[in-house]
Amino acid sequence: MKVAQKPAGTSEVLTDEERDAIKARARELKASARRGSRADKAAEDEAAVLAKIAEMQGTDRVMAERLHAVVKESAPELAPKLWYGMPAYAKGGKVVCFFQSAQKFRTRYATFGFSDLAALDDGAMWPASYALKELTAADEARIGALVRRAVG
């Protein structure tokens, strides 16, 4: 994994994968600014998410396909869209939940996470992201319930 160099005086560095994600987000913002009907944009966004999922390999692709189905079934009001080059689901244009491929970021597990817009508050501390190595039927049911609660 190649690390990008930051300007002198800064202590943080971005990996190639992180830099690619930032570039993908810039392309997403540019594409969303294009004119067109809301229905056309929604169809393009979902097609882009499905294409991104189809590019994934192995377990990541299987999990992303299942998560896409679970989110669509659990909260049909959420609109699929790419977010930093990964599948995400938004309400009113703002991302509520997202999937991150393990392969893309070279991590040992994929993640399914929620933004601060998700209504998952539980006291002073609660999980906002879940590690995924595989998805069982029980996991899918739990994620479906969390997604419903997040948009509740």
Side-chain angles (χ1 to χ4, degrees):
M1 173 175 5
K2 183 176 166 188
V3 175
Q5 296 299 313
K6 294 283 275 183
T10 61
S11 62
E12 297 179 28
V13 293
L14 296 175
T15 64
D16 288 342
E17 293 80 9
E18 291 167 331
R19 190 179 352 201
D20 288 345
I22 291 169
K23 288 177 183 177
R25 182 67 182 139
R27 286 190 302 272
E28 294 157 13
L29 291 170
K30 186 176 179 180
S32 72
R34 292 188 197 123
R35 295 184 184 249
S37 76
R38 194 173 293 185
D40 288 345
K41 284 185 179 181
E44 288 173 12
D45 285 346
E46 182 155 17
V49 166
L50 293 173
K52 182 56 71 175
I53 291 170
E55 290 174 8
M56 294 177 189
Q57 310 239 334
T59 306
D60 282 348
R61 183 177 61 230
V62 171
M63 287 191 297
E65 289 169 347
R66 290 301 311 137
L67 287 169
H68 182 75
V70 167
V71 171
K72 298 246 331 157
E73 180 183 309
S74 302
E77 65 270 33
L78 292 181
K81 66 184 278 178
L82 290 178
W83 192 52
Y84 293 95
M86 290 282 106
Y89 303 88
K91 183 175 181 180
K94 300 193 185 234
V95 171
V96 174
C97 57
F98 55 90
F99 175 74
Q100 286 184 319
S101 153
Q103 187 176 32
K104 165 105 175 145
F105 294 101
R106 300 180 187 183
T107 57
R108 67 184 183 92
Y109 53 81
T111 57
F112 185 76
F114 295 91
S115 76
D116 62 324
L117 299 176
L120 297 174
D121 302 39
D122 184 17
M125 185 175 88
W126 59 91
S129 183
Y130 294 85
L132 302 171
K133 290 185 104 179
E134 64 179 51
L135 277 177
T136 65
D139 298 330
E140 290 178 16
R142 183 173 178 201
I143 289 169
L146 285 167
V147 169
R148 281 189 294 280
R149 185 171 155 210
V151 297

